[in-house]
Amino acid sequence: MRKLKCLSLPALYFILAGLLLAGTVFVFTRPAAATGAAYPAPLVPVEKPVIVNGQELKLKQLRQHGITLVPVRALAEALQARVEWDPVNRTVTVDKPNGNKTIRMASGSNQALKNGQSVNLGCPAIMFENRIIAPLRFVAEALGAAVKWDEKKDLIQISLPEEPGHGSPPENTPPPDTAAEKVYSTSSPSRVAFTRDGCLWLADGQGNNSPVNAVPVPNTCAAAVKILGWSPDGQWLAYLLGPAKDNYGAKDCLWVVRADGTGTRQVEQKPVAGIPAWSPAGSVIAYSTYDRTGGTPEENLKLAEIAGGGQVKVSSLLPEKSDVVDFAWAPDGQSLAVSFPRTEDNPLQIDRVTLKGERTNLLSLGKPLDEKAKNSIYTREARGLKWSPNGRYLAYHLQLNSASLSADGVAIQVLDLQKPGRPVDVGIGLSYARWLAWSPDGTQLACILGSGR
């Protein structure tokens, strides 16, 4: 075997210089991959009618390497499939349960999983204008549809065969009593918060038929998350964050995040008690706290104002050991109804507390506890305070000093603010605050009456 000789560096320089002087240039390129060109072909817009089961479907279409690419969600939903987007892994999953068909594609990959089997797409699925697009024929056929190009009419025909349970009923079958009908299709701007797989997610829909991308909120996947709600201007979301999903004895802390998923802020360093609530008139949250160990409720009432830049200003409306049981913002956001328990010093009370700390009594029930009363069953506190939208009425549950008896049913009352101190008994119901709801004009209360857990 002949030995290969290596040129010295000066000799190599000499040869290259000679080639350049002779006007000869050699260009070495890496061979193109067998599946396509070395560089991706440009995306070329096309406009061909797409007919799905006789109805035209408006689809943005692009061609690359002779393959028509379309938005996956729009086509899949037209073929009665469900679509889920994983922004972390940039993966789309299309699922059609009644046909046992599943597709999974990753942005930038020309490989896809069809019912668990790896297949080649011909060209990769890619992100385009915040939407993932993929080959039309592959998506449609993978979902059980037939695809045909009508050359004479220059359109794409997609037909989906009738599936079991979805065919026409027998001729003598009477029509159903009720039928689902789509009566509203106009989009509107919206922001949605939801939990999925234990994480907090935010989705921002602008209402212009643009795709909605959901983003996970940082540092929420390793903890227990409870959504509280949006600020009135829709710029901030409040949520409770527990230290760990499997630490059931730990208390929650209060956080806020911007609507776009940025700017997370811990509002209060101490754990919070009860359910914090936004003011209906501004970016202010009312809440109570535990001590720093999370073991003892401080029975206080605090306000946290969230400025536009994210600065948090905390103030104390009612100090520690004020015996605060529950609270609810008045509709104008200028005061709160606050309930206090029946104790040795005071009867059961509901006061109106202004943002300046001024208190006006709305209701007092019973007398301060004596020794005999303390050893009996008595009405201890009002919970689940619910204002009517017009601010005239306040509904609430009256809970006993026995948790077991309260679980079986408690009294529901309504207080007319024009007649303070004279509540109206509604009946007995289970003590769930969310089961009290007012009509928009504030003249009717919806509640569920009954007892027994």
Side-chain angles (χ1 to χ4, degrees):
M1 180 181 293
R2 294 171 57 187
K3 294 184 178 180
L4 297 177
K5 294 183 179 180
C6 296
L7 296 175
S8 64
L9 191 58
L12 182 60
Y13 284 158
F14 178 79
I15 293 173
L16 290 174
L19 291 173
L20 290 173
L21 289 173
T24 305
V25 179
F26 296 91
V27 179
F28 295 91
T29 62
R30 185 172 58 184
T35 57
Y39 298 96
L43 293 169
V44 180
V46 293
E47 292 185 8
K48 292 186 183 297
V50 178
I51 309 300
V52 179
N53 282 358
Q55 299 292 324
E56 184 173 357
L57 178 64
K58 297 294 184 181
L59 280 178
K60 187 176 187 67
Q61 303 164 54
L62 300 162
R63 285 185 69 82
Q64 187 179 60
H65 300 304
I67 298 174
T68 300
L69 306 173
V70 297
V72 172
R73 181 179 294 277
L75 178 58
E77 291 181 346
L79 296 175
Q80 304 168 17
R82 298 179 304 193
V83 182
E84 292 187 2
W85 168 247
D86 181 353
V88 177
N89 298 308
R90 297 173 67 82
T91 301
V92 63
T93 301
V94 182
D95 180 39
K96 195 171 184 183
N98 57 353
N100 296 320
K101 298 175 178 64
T102 302
I103 314 169
R104 183 166 296 157
M105 295 173 285
S107 175
S109 174
N110 63 358
Q111 297 294 314
L113 289 178
K114 176 185 174 183
N115 298 330
Q117 300 296 319
S118 179
V119 295
N120 194 300
L121 295 175
C123 68
I126 59 175
M127 290 296 297
F128 182 82
E129 295 181 349
N130 290 325
R131 290 178 286 189
I132 189 164
I133 60 176
L136 176 150
R137 181 177 293 275
F138 168 79
V139 174
E141 292 182 345
L143 294 175
V147 181
K148 179 183 178 181
W149 176 46
D150 190 327
E151 186 174 0
K152 292 182 179 180
K153 298 181 180 179
D154 194 24
L155 54 80
I156 300 172
Q157 292 272 12
I158 301 177
S159 56
L160 191 65
E162 291 183 352
E163 297 172 352
H166 291 80
S168 301
E171 293 182 3
N172 297 327
T173 302
D177 294 334
T178 59
E181 180 182 357
K182 187 175 183 179
V183 297
Y184 186 81
S185 59
T186 304
S187 59
S188 59
S190 61
R191 291 187 173 96
V192 178
F194 60 94
T195 56
R196 178 190 173 196
D197 298 329
C199 304
L200 176 61
W201 295 72
L202 298 177
D204 191 357
Q206 299 303 312
N208 57 0
N209 292 323
S210 59
V212 178
N213 290 325
V215 295
V217 176
N219 303 319
T220 61
C221 293
V225 183
K226 300 174 186 175
I227 297 174
L228 295 175
W230 294 98
S231 59
D233 60 6
Q235 298 302 309
W236 294 93
L237 176 76
Y239 59 98
L240 297 178
L241 198 61
K245 295 178 182 178
D246 57 352
N247 189 351
Y248 300 106
K251 300 299 188 294
D252 297 322
C253 290
L254 177 60
W255 288 70
V256 293
V257 61
R258 294 186 189 276
D260 61 2
T262 64
T264 54
R265 300 282 191 279
Q266 184 171 353
V267 174
E268 171 66 52
Q269 297 302 313
K270 294 181 179 180
V272 296
I275 303 177
W278 287 105
S279 164
S283 297
V284 181
I285 308 176
Y287 61 96
S288 299
T289 59
Y290 287 94
D291 62 12
R292 291 192 177 275
T293 66
T296 305
E298 294 185 324
E299 299 172 341
N300 56 357
L301 185 58
K302 289 185 174 183
L303 300 178
E305 182 178 359
I306 316 298
Q311 301 86 355
V312 179
K313 180 182 178 182
V314 175
S315 60
S316 177
L317 188 60
L318 295 175
E320 297 177 14
K321 299 182 180 180
S322 293
D323 288 335
V324 173
V325 171
D326 200 2
F327 59 86
W329 285 97
D332 62 2
Q334 300 305 307
S335 63
L336 300 97
V338 184
S339 68
F340 304 90
R342 185 181 178 188
T343 65
E344 295 177 355
D345 301 317
N346 298 293
L348 181 155
Q349 291 180 236
I350 300 178
D351 288 357
R352 182 194 287 269
V353 182
T354 69
L355 300 184
K356 296 180 180 180
E358 301 165 342
R359 293 172 60 168
T360 303
N361 181 252
L362 302 178
L363 176 70
S364 294
L365 286 180
K367 298 179 180 179
L369 293 173
D370 54 23
E371 289 300 321
K372 181 179 180 180
K374 285 192 293 184
N375 295 319
S376 64
I377 301 299
Y378 62 88
T379 301
R380 184 180 187 274
E381 59 198 30
R383 287 190 176 271
L385 310 180
K386 188 75 172 182
W387 287 92
S388 63
N390 57 15
R392 176 173 174 176
Y393 302 102
L394 183 68
Y396 49 87
H397 296 102
L398 289 176
Q399 292 199 333
L400 306 173
N401 63 325
S402 167
S404 178
L405 293 177
S406 294
D408 286 326
V410 297
I412 301 174
Q413 287 189 341
V414 172
L415 185 63
D416 185 346
L417 274 297
Q418 294 184 3
K419 303 175 183 178
R422 297 165 58 186
V424 176
D425 290 314
V426 176
I428 301 297
L430 298 183
S431 183
Y432 295 114
R434 295 176 184 269
W435 285 10
L436 299 177
W438 288 96
S439 61
D441 62 359
T443 61
Q444 293 180 306
L445 174 71
C447 59
I448 299 177
L449 300 181
S451 61
R453 71 189 91 171

